[in-house]
Amino acid sequence: MALGRSAALKVDWAKIGTSLGIKGQTASALQAFKKRNEDARRKTQVLSDQPQQIDFKHYRSLLKNQAVVDEIENHFKTFKPATYDVGRQLRAIEAFEAQAVKNAEQTKGKVDMELQDLEKTLRNIEEARPFDEITVDEVAAAEPDIDRRTEQLVTKGRWSVPGYKEKFGDLSVL
């Protein structure tokens, strides 16, 4: 327990918030936790400063029923605080942490791939020729589906692209 207390005293709360870049609701939750920690440490200090011995002779002199005092003294002497196995909770926390790290690495991998795709797209945009320098044949070679779709429309007797008038308006008035 002394090791836990010494570690708790060494926590630099200000450094935690700034080094991790904690903001908003997380920062307020950290401050609330810090306050609870300080309150608990203060209460523990106050309680540890108080006398821990019970003067049973004093109570025997006050009470007529000595058996009550004897029974309480017996319970006091045989009292053993309950111990808890925190290993299970620690293992659960470690498993959660491992899963969180694994998920973070997967997310990092996905973000890195997305960044590579975006950089490639950006390079393509920067290296692309202006539209006025591109020919229809070059567009058709880049996207063969355009030629097939145009051929379908022409064979069906459709000379306009569906949705064009709705999007760009009717230019027949000009």
Side-chain angles (χ1 to χ4, degrees):
M1 191 66 174
L3 178 65
R5 274 189 239 150
S6 66
L9 293 173
K10 293 178 183 176
V11 172
D12 185 1
W13 294 100
K15 190 175 182 181
I16 289 174
T18 56
S19 67
L20 297 177
I22 297 174
K23 296 178 183 172
Q25 188 176 9
T26 307
S28 62
L30 181 64
Q31 289 298 325
F33 181 77
K34 174 187 171 192
K35 183 181 181 309
R36 286 194 317 266
N37 177 281
E38 289 172 353
D39 290 345
R41 193 167 353 121
R42 204 173 303 114
K43 282 182 182 180
T44 303
Q45 185 63 35
V46 167
L47 291 174
S48 66
D49 291 343
Q50 292 178 355
Q52 297 176 0
Q53 295 298 323
I54 299 174
D55 185 12
F56 288 105
K57 291 179 186 177
H58 172 72
Y59 291 107
R60 281 191 183 93
S61 67
L62 292 176
L63 297 173
K64 292 179 184 178
N65 190 351
Q66 301 293 314
V68 172
V69 177
D70 291 338
E71 186 178 339
I72 292 172
E73 184 178 15
N74 187 29
H75 284 299
F76 179 75
K77 287 180 180 177
T78 59
F79 174 76
K80 290 184 180 139
T83 57
Y84 294 98
D85 179 23
V86 294
R88 192 177 80 194
Q89 286 86 0
L90 291 175
R91 286 191 297 275
I93 290 170
E94 288 169 356
F96 177 77
E97 181 180 328
Q99 185 65 32
V101 168
K102 180 181 171 187
N103 289 344
E105 289 172 354
Q106 288 177 348
T107 302
K108 181 186 178 292
K110 289 178 183 178
V111 168
D112 287 344
M113 288 176 49
E114 184 69 24
L115 282 174
Q116 289 174 353
D117 288 346
L118 290 172
E119 287 173 358
K120 182 179 174 184
T121 302
L122 183 60
R123 276 195 307 274
N124 284 343
I125 290 170
E126 290 171 347
E127 295 171 359
R129 292 188 315 198
F131 285 115
D132 56 355
E133 295 178 12
I134 299 175
T135 64
V136 173
D137 292 332
E138 291 172 336
V139 171
E143 190 61 47
D145 190 45
I146 294 174
D147 268 349
R148 280 188 243 117
R149 182 73 176 134
T150 305
E151 188 177 324
Q152 279 180 341
L153 291 172
V154 170
T155 56
K156 293 180 181 177
R158 295 187 186 150
W159 298 98
S160 62
V161 178
Y164 183 86
K165 286 184 181 181
E166 290 80 12
K167 189 170 184 177
F168 299 106
D170 191 2
L171 299 176
S172 63
V173 177
L174 300 174

